[in-house]
Amino acid sequence: LTSTSAFIGKSTLQVFSTYGEKGNLFTVVIAPSGSGKTPACHLGCINPIVEHLEPKIEKSIVMDDASSNGLFNHFVSGYTVPVLCIDEAHSFLMKITSLSKSPQANLTLERLCKCFDGDCWYVLKGNKGKRAGIPSARASLLAFTTPKQFLQIVWPKMLSAENGFAERVLLFYHRKEEKDLEVMAQHSGALEDFPIQSLDGVLEQIYAEHNNNPPVKYTLTATAREAFFKFAKPQDHLPNSQGAAIDVEANVNNSKRNKHVLRLALSMHVLYDRLKKALELQKGPTSHIIGLETLNMAIVMVQSLEIYKGISRMVSDTVYMLLVVSGFHS
């Protein structure tokens, strides 16, 4: 989904004439060692883009040079929405949350917030003060890291910064599962019977459809639009399974929740439509109308990830208090 969110480029999900949303996503995946972070990183992003697509289009999309200069040079050299795809991202996350920053060398949380929103990015070059840059610098972020390092060190810093970055991130947790090699071999054999066996062609089609023409405008069906309006009404609490009210995020921001729902719905619609067509050996453009089922999937996902984020906040707060108490007694 995060790869797709970059490939759809400047395309928009238009809710009504003055309200639309672009697609790029910021996703942080935390999972224990041995959970499959690296294979997911390569199969969902690195392999289909770096090894398959980039040589064809002769442009770079995936970036693991996480410097401010590197990202800026990408934008000014030839515009594509890049994916900052970083496996083992702890050192990257530490750099962007560091208090001692060299703005030209290191990305900052503030600059990443601007790249989520698609703000302009201009810098002065040379002694004559000539301005270089672009009017909209938009990027997607996909970072993989482990729970202990993230919850003890990185997440508390992101929360305490209170600059909106934490609210822009989709925080996903995946638990470790032991895999039976015999079962994996059976699944691998079954995969060979499918018309597609990797995301190479699917993502290539998504890129071609959204980057060689004017930006595509997607819309919601009437029922999906009604459901989104209902979801978007101001709400401070979400019910848990027992019916009690849980404050999932102390600083929950309805506008960010709405952004996530629309962006996820857009990426889900495009990716699933292309996957379905590929599996059924069909061609033709992606439908530009997003239905209720897809919107509901996006809503459920956002609500689920908000619970992850709320639990992560509580865990980080608890760990921080324990460290403070331990240091005090020491």
Side-chain angles (χ1 to χ4, degrees):
L1 286 172
T2 306
S3 299
T4 299
S5 78
F7 277 23
I8 57 181
K10 299 178 182 179
S11 301
T12 305
L13 172 49
Q14 205 73 30
V15 182
F16 47 85
S17 61
T18 57
Y19 180 27
E21 194 64 52
K22 296 294 195 295
N24 58 303
L25 298 170
F26 280 12
T27 310
V28 174
V29 181
I30 56 175
S33 297
S35 301
K37 295 190 296 297
T38 297
C41 176
H42 280 265
L43 294 173
C45 188
I46 301 294
N47 295 358
I49 302 178
V50 176
E51 297 181 10
H52 176 76
L53 181 64
E54 288 186 350
K56 289 188 174 185
I57 64 174
E58 297 181 343
K59 291 182 180 180
S60 63
I61 298 174
V62 172
M63 295 190 64
D64 57 4
D65 176 6
S67 69
S68 180
N69 286 332
L71 186 57
F72 180 81
N73 290 334
H74 169 91
F75 286 123
V76 298
S77 64
Y79 187 79
T80 60
V81 175
V83 182
L84 294 173
C85 182
I86 306 165
D87 191 16
E88 305 298 340
H90 179 67
S91 59
F92 165 76
L93 295 172
M94 286 294 292
K95 285 180 181 178
I96 65 174
T97 55
S98 173
L99 295 177
S100 56
K101 304 181 183 78
S102 172
Q104 295 304 314
N106 292 339
L107 277 174
T108 63
L109 292 178
E110 290 77 11
R111 173 50 62 187
L112 284 172
C113 286
K114 292 178 181 292
C115 288
F116 179 87
D117 297 335
D119 289 352
C120 65
W121 192 352
Y122 289 104
V123 298
L124 296 179
K125 296 285 188 179
N127 296 328
K128 296 182 179 180
K130 186 177 180 180
R131 191 174 70 168
I134 60 172
S136 177
R138 188 176 298 278
S140 294
L141 170 67
L142 179 59
F144 298 83
T145 189
T146 53
K148 185 176 180 180
Q149 292 177 319
F150 183 80
L151 294 173
Q152 286 188 357
I153 304 172
V154 175
W155 190 231
K157 290 184 177 181
M158 288 185 178
L159 293 172
S160 63
E162 295 186 348
N163 58 7
F165 182 81
E167 287 73 31
R168 286 169 170 81
V169 169
L170 294 171
L171 186 61
F172 184 84
Y173 177 79
H174 180 72
R175 64 187 177 91
K176 185 175 180 179
E177 297 179 8
E178 296 298 332
K179 301 295 184 183
D180 187 306
L181 288 178
E182 186 176 352
V183 174
M184 290 176 66
Q186 293 173 356
H187 288 316
S188 180
L191 181 63
E192 295 176 3
D193 296 330
F194 281 93
I196 55 172
Q197 296 169 25
S198 75
L199 291 174
D200 291 3
V202 173
L203 291 182
E204 180 182 354
Q205 178 63 38
I206 292 171
Y207 179 86
E209 194 173 344
H210 294 85
N211 290 271
N212 292 330
N213 298 297
V216 180
K217 285 190 177 182
Y218 289 86
T219 58
L220 297 169
T221 63
T223 54
R225 193 165 176 259
E226 182 182 352
F228 175 68
F229 287 162
K230 182 178 180 180
F231 170 82
K233 290 184 183 297
Q235 49 184 311
D236 296 327
H237 303 280
L238 295 174
N240 69 2
S241 57
Q242 287 75 36
I246 298 178
D247 189 354
V248 177
E249 268 291 345
N251 298 318
V252 65
N253 188 314
N254 283 323
S255 68
K256 298 298 185 297
R257 298 173 76 241
N258 298 343
K259 282 179 179 289
H260 286 317
V261 165
L262 293 176
R263 293 183 183 208
L264 274 172
L266 180 52
S267 287
M268 284 176 170
H269 172 76
V270 173
L271 178 60
Y272 298 163
D273 187 90
R274 294 316 322 173
L275 280 172
K276 182 179 179 181
K277 282 184 169 63
L279 289 170
E280 296 177 354
L281 299 177
Q282 296 179 354
K283 295 184 178 180
T286 304
S287 167
H288 293 171
I289 302 175
I290 300 174
L292 177 61
E293 182 180 2
T294 303
L295 182 79
N296 281 337
M297 285 193 295
I299 288 174
V300 169
M301 186 170 182
V302 166
Q303 290 175 334
S304 300
L305 298 189
E306 281 184 338
I307 293 173
Y308 286 161
K309 193 179 287 187
I311 293 172
S312 300
R313 177 189 285 274
M314 289 190 295
V315 170
S316 294
D317 289 345
T318 302
V319 169
Y320 176 77
M321 290 302 298
L322 289 174
L323 291 174
V324 169
V325 171
S326 175
F328 174 79
H329 286 299
S330 296

